[in-house]
């Protein structure tokens, strides 16, 4: 998944959920890599820096917490956000939240379905960028 991400030389890459290091330890050495991990006393939701890319397997339960992580990433990331989430977590992207994302200049760019029999269900590697597109649209019915 890291290999299909758009990490460029010199990019600052944030891994907000270090966990056991599965993502962080495999980030390229040509990028400036930083991490947070609540269990190690570094709370991503209190991070105040700015990065080029944020990527992680974030907490997606409860969904409200995942949305808080996504909002934080939108506020602190300059170029791209990547999440590995359970496919049911796509439900967090309601029409109102999609509109909020778009109003902040963020758009879903790509989705890669990840099928790994070690995990229950399907996962997706989702990419968000600042490039407007028609990949994710919504219809808001007004009564």
């Amino acid at each position: 998944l890291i290999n299909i991400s758009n990490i460029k030389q010199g990019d600052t890459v944030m891994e907000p959920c270090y966990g056991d290091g599965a993502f962080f330890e495999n980030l390229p050495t040509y990028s400036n890599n930083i991490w947070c991990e609540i269990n190690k006393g570094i709370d991503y939701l209190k991070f105040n820096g700015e990065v080029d890319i944020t990527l992680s397997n974030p907490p997606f339960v409860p969904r409200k917490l995942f949305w808080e992580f996504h909002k934080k990433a939108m506020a602190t990331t300059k170029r791209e956000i990547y999440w590995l989430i359970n496919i049911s977590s796509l439900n967090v992207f309601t029409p109102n939240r999609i509109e909020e994302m778009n109003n902040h200049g963020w758009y879903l760019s790509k989705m890669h379905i990840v099928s790994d029999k070690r995990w229950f269900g399907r996962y997706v590697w989702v990419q968000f960028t600042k490039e407007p597109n028609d990949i994710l649209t919504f219809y808001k019915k007004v009564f």
Side-chain angles (χ1 to χ4, degrees), residues 42-71:
I42 305 170
D43 185 350
Y44 175 63
L45 297 177
K46 294 180 180 174
F47 174 72
N48 290 320
E50 189 173 69
V51 299
D52 298 298
I53 293 176
T54 297
L55 62 75
S56 190
N57 179 5
F60 42 83
V61 176
R63 287 190 178 107
K64 183 178 180 188
L65 180 58
F66 171 49
W67 182 246
E68 292 302 314
F69 267 69
H70 191 67
K71 288 193 313 186

Side-chain angles (χ1 to χ4, degrees), residues 86-127:
N86 184 292
I87 204 160
S88 67
S89 298
L90 291 173
N91 291 329
V92 79
F93 299 106
T94 63
N96 287 339
R97 288 176 173 170
I98 294 167
E99 186 174 37
E100 181 180 341
M101 262 184 2
N102 295 166
N103 288 340
H104 285 94
W106 284 100
Y107 306 89
L108 176 67
S109 178
K110 293 180 184 172
M111 284 180 30
H112 299 275
I113 306 299
V114 179
S115 181
D116 189 317
K117 292 181 180 182
R118 296 173 296 172
W119 305 335
F120 175 75
R122 298 275 190 260
Y123 283 73
V124 290
W125 183 241
V126 290
Q127 175 189 17

Side-chain angles (χ1 to χ4, degrees), residues 8 34 36 129 131:
K8 299 175 182 173
I34 58 176
C36 292
T129 65
E131 298 295 322

